[in-house]
PDB file of all heavy atoms in Angstrom:
ATOM      1  N   ILE W 150      13.244 -29.328  -0.309  1.00  0.00           N
ATOM      2  CA  ILE W 150      13.716 -27.994  -0.712  1.00  0.00           C
ATOM      3  C   ILE W 150      12.569 -27.215  -1.352  1.00  0.00           C
ATOM      4  O   ILE W 150      12.335 -26.045  -1.052  1.00  0.00           O
ATOM      5  CB  ILE W 150      14.907 -28.111  -1.696  1.00  0.00           C
ATOM      6  CG1 ILE W 150      16.145 -28.598  -0.941  1.00  0.00           C
ATOM      7  CG2 ILE W 150      15.177 -26.773  -2.388  1.00  0.00           C
ATOM      8  CD1 ILE W 150      17.321 -28.935  -1.849  1.00  0.00           C
ATOM      9  N   GLN W 151      11.818 -27.903  -2.217  1.00  0.00           N
ATOM     10  CA  GLN W 151      10.680 -27.261  -2.875  1.00  0.00           C
ATOM     11  C   GLN W 151       9.664 -26.799  -1.837  1.00  0.00           C
ATOM     12  O   GLN W 151       9.181 -25.668  -1.887  1.00  0.00           O
ATOM     13  CB  GLN W 151      10.024 -28.233  -3.852  1.00  0.00           C
ATOM     14  CG  GLN W 151       8.787 -27.644  -4.530  1.00  0.00           C
ATOM     15  CD  GLN W 151       8.027 -28.672  -5.357  1.00  0.00           C
ATOM     16  OE1 GLN W 151       8.089 -29.857  -5.086  1.00  0.00           O
ATOM     17  NE2 GLN W 151       7.305 -28.195  -6.352  1.00  0.00           N
ATOM     18  N   GLN W 152       9.352 -27.643  -0.893  1.00  0.00           N
ATOM     19  CA  GLN W 152       8.378 -27.284   0.141  1.00  0.00           C
ATOM     20  C   GLN W 152       8.874 -26.104   0.972  1.00  0.00           C
ATOM     21  O   GLN W 152       8.114 -25.186   1.276  1.00  0.00           O
ATOM     22  CB  GLN W 152       8.076 -28.498   1.047  1.00  0.00           C
ATOM     23  CG  GLN W 152       7.349 -29.624   0.352  1.00  0.00           C
ATOM     24  CD  GLN W 152       6.041 -29.166  -0.270  1.00  0.00           C
ATOM     25  OE1 GLN W 152       5.261 -28.472   0.346  1.00  0.00           O
ATOM     26  NE2 GLN W 152       5.814 -29.535  -1.529  1.00  0.00           N
ATOM     27  N   ASN W 153      10.162 -26.138   1.330  1.00  0.00           N
ATOM     28  CA  ASN W 153      10.732 -25.033   2.117  1.00  0.00           C
ATOM     29  C   ASN W 153      10.716 -23.727   1.338  1.00  0.00           C
ATOM     30  O   ASN W 153      10.367 -22.676   1.886  1.00  0.00           O
ATOM     31  CB  ASN W 153      12.168 -25.371   2.557  1.00  0.00           C
ATOM     32  CG  ASN W 153      12.205 -26.469   3.604  1.00  0.00           C
ATOM     33  OD1 ASN W 153      11.205 -26.772   4.237  1.00  0.00           O
ATOM     34  ND2 ASN W 153      13.370 -27.074   3.774  1.00  0.00           N
ATOM     35  N   GLU W 154      11.073 -23.788   0.062  1.00  0.00           N
ATOM     36  CA  GLU W 154      11.055 -22.578  -0.758  1.00  0.00           C
ATOM     37  C   GLU W 154       9.639 -22.061  -0.931  1.00  0.00           C
ATOM     38  O   GLU W 154       9.395 -20.855  -0.888  1.00  0.00           O
ATOM     39  CB  GLU W 154      11.699 -22.849  -2.120  1.00  0.00           C
ATOM     40  CG  GLU W 154      13.201 -22.977  -2.050  1.00  0.00           C
ATOM     41  CD  GLU W 154      13.844 -23.250  -3.407  1.00  0.00           C
ATOM     42  OE1 GLU W 154      13.109 -23.374  -4.418  1.00  0.00           O
ATOM     43  OE2 GLU W 154      15.082 -23.330  -3.452  1.00  0.00           O
ATOM     44  N   LEU W 155       8.699 -22.969  -1.135  1.00  0.00           N
ATOM     45  CA  LEU W 155       7.296 -22.551  -1.240  1.00  0.00           C
ATOM     46  C   LEU W 155       6.836 -21.860   0.039  1.00  0.00           C
ATOM     47  O   LEU W 155       6.206 -20.806  -0.002  1.00  0.00           O
ATOM     48  CB  LEU W 155       6.398 -23.761  -1.530  1.00  0.00           C
ATOM     49  CG  LEU W 155       6.334 -24.224  -2.977  1.00  0.00           C
ATOM     50  CD1 LEU W 155       5.573 -25.543  -3.066  1.00  0.00           C
ATOM     51  CD2 LEU W 155       5.658 -23.183  -3.835  1.00  0.00           C
ATOM     52  N   LYS W 156       7.161 -22.451   1.183  1.00  0.00           N
ATOM     53  CA  LYS W 156       6.772 -21.845   2.465  1.00  0.00           C
ATOM     54  C   LYS W 156       7.389 -20.460   2.619  1.00  0.00           C
ATOM     55  O   LYS W 156       6.721 -19.511   3.013  1.00  0.00           O
ATOM     56  CB  LYS W 156       7.236 -22.723   3.640  1.00  0.00           C
ATOM     57  CG  LYS W 156       6.305 -23.836   4.000  1.00  0.00           C
ATOM     58  CD  LYS W 156       6.820 -24.550   5.249  1.00  0.00           C
ATOM     59  CE  LYS W 156       6.041 -25.806   5.539  1.00  0.00           C
ATOM     60  NZ  LYS W 156       6.609 -26.543   6.675  1.00  0.00           N
ATOM     61  N   GLU W 157       8.687 -20.368   2.299  1.00  0.00           N
ATOM     62  CA  GLU W 157       9.391 -19.102   2.447  1.00  0.00           C
ATOM     63  C   GLU W 157       8.795 -18.034   1.526  1.00  0.00           C
ATOM     64  O   GLU W 157       8.541 -16.908   1.957  1.00  0.00           O
ATOM     65  CB  GLU W 157      10.870 -19.310   2.113  1.00  0.00           C
ATOM     66  CG  GLU W 157      11.716 -18.079   2.324  1.00  0.00           C
ATOM     67  CD  GLU W 157      13.181 -18.330   1.995  1.00  0.00           C
ATOM     68  OE1 GLU W 157      13.674 -19.448   2.199  1.00  0.00           O
ATOM     69  OE2 GLU W 157      13.820 -17.365   1.532  1.00  0.00           O
ATOM     70  N   MET W 158       8.542 -18.391   0.279  1.00  0.00           N
ATOM     71  CA  MET W 158       7.972 -17.432  -0.664  1.00  0.00           C
ATOM     72  C   MET W 158       6.563 -17.012  -0.245  1.00  0.00           C
ATOM     73  O   MET W 158       6.202 -15.847  -0.323  1.00  0.00           O
ATOM     74  CB  MET W 158       7.959 -18.012  -2.080  1.00  0.00           C
ATOM     75  CG  MET W 158       9.326 -18.149  -2.686  1.00  0.00           C
ATOM     76  SD  MET W 158      10.130 -16.562  -2.868  1.00  0.00           S
ATOM     77  CE  MET W 158      10.646 -16.666  -4.532  1.00  0.00           C
ATOM     78  N   LYS W 159       5.761 -17.994   0.193  1.00  0.00           N
ATOM     79  CA  LYS W 159       4.404 -17.662   0.644  1.00  0.00           C
ATOM     80  C   LYS W 159       4.462 -16.708   1.824  1.00  0.00           C
ATOM     81  O   LYS W 159       3.683 -15.758   1.898  1.00  0.00           O
ATOM     82  CB  LYS W 159       3.640 -18.941   1.030  1.00  0.00           C
ATOM     83  CG  LYS W 159       3.150 -19.738  -0.146  1.00  0.00           C
ATOM     84  CD  LYS W 159       2.411 -20.981   0.310  1.00  0.00           C
ATOM     85  CE  LYS W 159       1.951 -21.830  -0.871  1.00  0.00           C
ATOM     86  NZ  LYS W 159       1.295 -23.060  -0.439  1.00  0.00           N
ATOM     87  N   GLN W 160       5.399 -16.938   2.744  1.00  0.00           N
ATOM     88  CA  GLN W 160       5.529 -16.071   3.912  1.00  0.00           C
ATOM     89  C   GLN W 160       5.954 -14.671   3.485  1.00  0.00           C
ATOM     90  O   GLN W 160       5.441 -13.679   3.989  1.00  0.00           O
ATOM     91  CB  GLN W 160       6.548 -16.652   4.916  1.00  0.00           C
ATOM     92  CG  GLN W 160       6.610 -15.887   6.219  1.00  0.00           C
ATOM     93  CD  GLN W 160       5.277 -15.868   6.942  1.00  0.00           C
ATOM     94  OE1 GLN W 160       4.610 -16.877   7.074  1.00  0.00           O
ATOM     95  NE2 GLN W 160       4.868 -14.706   7.412  1.00  0.00           N
ATOM     96  N   GLN W 161       6.885 -14.592   2.530  1.00  0.00           N
ATOM     97  CA  GLN W 161       7.329 -13.282   2.056  1.00  0.00           C
ATOM     98  C   GLN W 161       6.183 -12.535   1.384  1.00  0.00           C
ATOM     99  O   GLN W 161       5.995 -11.341   1.619  1.00  0.00           O
ATOM    100  CB  GLN W 161       8.493 -13.446   1.067  1.00  0.00           C
ATOM    101  CG  GLN W 161       9.798 -13.836   1.728  1.00  0.00           C
ATOM    102  CD  GLN W 161      10.907 -14.073   0.718  1.00  0.00           C
ATOM    103  OE1 GLN W 161      10.701 -13.983  -0.484  1.00  0.00           O
ATOM    104  NE2 GLN W 161      12.107 -14.371   1.219  1.00  0.00           N
ATOM    105  N   VAL W 162       5.420 -13.242   0.562  1.00  0.00           N
ATOM    106  CA  VAL W 162       4.276 -12.605  -0.107  1.00  0.00           C
ATOM    107  C   VAL W 162       3.258 -12.151   0.941  1.00  0.00           C
ATOM    108  O   VAL W 162       2.734 -11.034   0.882  1.00  0.00           O
ATOM    109  CB  VAL W 162       3.632 -13.568  -1.139  1.00  0.00           C
ATOM    110  CG1 VAL W 162       2.308 -13.031  -1.626  1.00  0.00           C
ATOM    111  CG2 VAL W 162       4.575 -13.790  -2.310  1.00  0.00           C
ATOM    112  N   THR W 163       2.989 -12.994   1.937  1.00  0.00           N
ATOM    113  CA  THR W 163       2.043 -12.624   2.997  1.00  0.00           C
ATOM    114  C   THR W 163       2.548 -11.398   3.753  1.00  0.00           C
ATOM    115  O   THR W 163       1.786 -10.464   4.008  1.00  0.00           O
ATOM    116  CB  THR W 163       1.855 -13.811   3.981  1.00  0.00           C
ATOM    117  OG1 THR W 163       1.368 -14.929   3.252  1.00  0.00           O
ATOM    118  CG2 THR W 163       0.877 -13.455   5.085  1.00  0.00           C
ATOM    119  N   ASP W 164       3.837 -11.394   4.088  1.00  0.00           N
ATOM    120  CA  ASP W 164       4.407 -10.249   4.810  1.00  0.00           C
ATOM    121  C   ASP W 164       4.308  -8.975   3.986  1.00  0.00           C
ATOM    122  O   ASP W 164       3.953  -7.910   4.498  1.00  0.00           O
ATOM    123  CB  ASP W 164       5.881 -10.518   5.166  1.00  0.00           C
ATOM    124  CG  ASP W 164       6.038 -11.609   6.221  1.00  0.00           C
ATOM    125  OD1 ASP W 164       5.021 -11.986   6.861  1.00  0.00           O
ATOM    126  OD2 ASP W 164       7.174 -12.105   6.395  1.00  0.00           O
ATOM    127  N   ARG W 165       4.611  -9.085   2.676  1.00  0.00           N
ATOM    128  CA  ARG W 165       4.536  -7.899   1.812  1.00  0.00           C
ATOM    129  C   ARG W 165       3.106  -7.382   1.709  1.00  0.00           C
ATOM    130  O   ARG W 165       2.863  -6.189   1.741  1.00  0.00           O
ATOM    131  CB  ARG W 165       5.064  -8.217   0.403  1.00  0.00           C
ATOM    132  CG  ARG W 165       6.520  -8.531   0.339  1.00  0.00           C
ATOM    133  CD  ARG W 165       7.364  -7.324   0.630  1.00  0.00           C
ATOM    134  NE  ARG W 165       8.761  -7.673   0.643  1.00  0.00           N
ATOM    135  CZ  ARG W 165       9.692  -7.004   0.054  1.00  0.00           C
ATOM    136  NH1 ARG W 165       9.410  -5.887  -0.565  1.00  0.00           N
ATOM    137  NH2 ARG W 165      10.944  -7.396   0.114  1.00  0.00           N
ATOM    138  N   LEU W 166       2.163  -8.297   1.586  1.00  0.00           N
ATOM    139  CA  LEU W 166       0.761  -7.883   1.492  1.00  0.00           C
ATOM    140  C   LEU W 166       0.320  -7.193   2.774  1.00  0.00           C
ATOM    141  O   LEU W 166      -0.411  -6.199   2.742  1.00  0.00           O
ATOM    142  CB  LEU W 166      -0.141  -9.087   1.187  1.00  0.00           C
ATOM    143  CG  LEU W 166      -0.034  -9.624  -0.243  1.00  0.00           C
ATOM    144  CD1 LEU W 166      -0.852 -10.902  -0.390  1.00  0.00           C
ATOM    145  CD2 LEU W 166      -0.501  -8.592  -1.254  1.00  0.00           C
ATOM    146  N   LYS W 167       0.786  -7.688   3.924  1.00  0.00           N
ATOM    147  CA  LYS W 167       0.471  -7.033   5.195  1.00  0.00           C
ATOM    148  C   LYS W 167       1.066  -5.630   5.235  1.00  0.00           C
ATOM    149  O   LYS W 167       0.409  -4.683   5.683  1.00  0.00           O
ATOM    150  CB  LYS W 167       0.998  -7.860   6.373  1.00  0.00           C
ATOM    151  CG  LYS W 167       0.178  -9.085   6.670  1.00  0.00           C
ATOM    152  CD  LYS W 167       0.743  -9.875   7.839  1.00  0.00           C
ATOM    153  CE  LYS W 167      -0.029 -11.170   8.085  1.00  0.00           C
ATOM    154  NZ  LYS W 167       0.575 -11.970   9.153  1.00  0.00           N
ATOM    155  N   GLU W 168       2.307  -5.486   4.756  1.00  0.00           N
ATOM    156  CA  GLU W 168       2.937  -4.165   4.715  1.00  0.00           C
ATOM    157  C   GLU W 168       2.120  -3.210   3.841  1.00  0.00           C
ATOM    158  O   GLU W 168       1.884  -2.063   4.208  1.00  0.00           O
ATOM    159  CB  GLU W 168       4.355  -4.279   4.131  1.00  0.00           C
ATOM    160  CG  GLU W 168       5.381  -4.864   5.060  1.00  0.00           C
ATOM    161  CD  GLU W 168       6.734  -4.980   4.377  1.00  0.00           C
ATOM    162  OE1 GLU W 168       7.067  -4.140   3.496  1.00  0.00           O
ATOM    163  OE2 GLU W 168       7.483  -5.912   4.735  1.00  0.00           O
ATOM    164  N   ILE W 169       1.680  -3.714   2.688  1.00  0.00           N
ATOM    165  CA  ILE W 169       0.897  -2.868   1.775  1.00  0.00           C
ATOM    166  C   ILE W 169      -0.415  -2.471   2.427  1.00  0.00           C
ATOM    167  O   ILE W 169      -0.846  -1.321   2.344  1.00  0.00           O
ATOM    168  CB  ILE W 169       0.668  -3.599   0.426  1.00  0.00           C
ATOM    169  CG1 ILE W 169       1.988  -3.680  -0.347  1.00  0.00           C
ATOM    170  CG2 ILE W 169      -0.403  -2.905  -0.403  1.00  0.00           C
ATOM    171  CD1 ILE W 169       1.929  -4.509  -1.599  1.00  0.00           C
TER     172      ILE W 169
END
Side-chain angles (χ1 to χ4, degrees):
I150 289 172
Q151 177 188 26
Q152 293 303 314
N153 290 343
E154 286 180 358
L155 279 172
K156 275 185 189 175
E157 184 179 327
M158 290 298 230
K159 284 180 182 177
Q160 187 60 46
Q161 287 177 358
V162 169
T163 301
D164 291 347
R165 294 291 176 134
L166 287 174
K167 285 180 184 176
E168 285 178 32
I169 289 173

